[in-house]
């Protein structure tokens, strides 16, 4: 258990760090792995929706560059942690988990 939680920390990034990166670095992919309904209700601007249940199938087509920096979030942090594991297994090398939108203190938008 201890090893796993230590590994998970390596992939974690705070909302503050994520916001700074998004504001200062071009080309970062912000990935929302919630459902389409949740995304429409509220999401972080410029995020790409790819629900967790279709991530394995969609990622290779929609995210062809495995060296791109990808920041992942969901509602509370559980699905984004699972998404980081899936993407890492698929060969993506710069994947970080922001956690849940419920902990995102910055602007969000609704709609598609």
């Amino acid at each position: 258990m201890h090893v796993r939680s230590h590994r998970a920390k390596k992939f974690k990034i705070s909302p503050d760090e994520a916001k700074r990166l998004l504001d200062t670095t071009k080309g970062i992919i912000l990935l929302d792995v919630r459902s389409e309904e949740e995304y429409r209700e509220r999401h972080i601007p410029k995020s790409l929706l790819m629900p967790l249940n279709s991530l394995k199938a969609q990622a290779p087509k929609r995210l062809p560059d495995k060296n791109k920096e990808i920041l992942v979030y969901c509602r509370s942090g559980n699905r984004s942690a699972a998404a980081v594991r899936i993407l890492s297994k698929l060969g993506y090398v710069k994947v970080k988990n922001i956690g849940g939108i419920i902990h995102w203190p910055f602007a969000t938008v609704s709609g598609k």
Side-chain angles (χ1 to χ4, degrees):
M1 181 65 189
H2 182 71
V3 172
R4 190 173 180 192
S5 65
H6 178 70
R7 248 188 95 220
K9 272 194 181 119
K10 183 175 94 173
F11 298 108
K12 196 95 171 75
I13 184 172
S14 74
D16 288 336
E17 289 174 278
K19 177 81 166 102
R20 187 182 50 72
L21 274 174
L22 290 165
D23 288 346
T24 60
T25 311
K26 289 215 181 307
I28 292 179
I29 296 165
L30 181 57
L31 191 62
D32 186 327
V33 294
R34 299 173 302 151
S35 70
E36 198 171 315
E37 295 75 28
E38 289 171 296
Y39 183 84
R40 273 199 307 266
E41 193 177 294
R42 176 174 172 238
H43 60 272
I44 301 171
K46 297 187 182 134
S47 57
L48 172 69
L49 175 65
M50 210 176 299
L52 183 62
N53 61 6
S54 63
L55 184 62
K56 209 173 193 172
Q58 285 189 38
K61 291 178 220 118
R62 295 182 64 196
L63 304 170
D65 185 351
K66 293 190 174 180
N67 291 307
K68 272 258 197 228
E69 195 155 358
I70 302 171
L71 303 181
V72 187
Y73 74 95
C74 61
R75 190 192 71 78
S76 66
N78 291 326
R79 283 175 284 180
S80 56
V84 167
R85 285 193 298 274
I86 290 167
L87 290 169
S88 295
K89 280 184 183 151
L90 289 173
Y92 293 86
V93 290
K94 296 179 186 167
V95 185
K96 296 272 190 225
N97 179 8
I98 298 174
I101 194 169
I102 59 172
H103 304 294
W104 184 256
F106 309 104
T108 57
V109 293
S110 58
K112 288 219 178 224

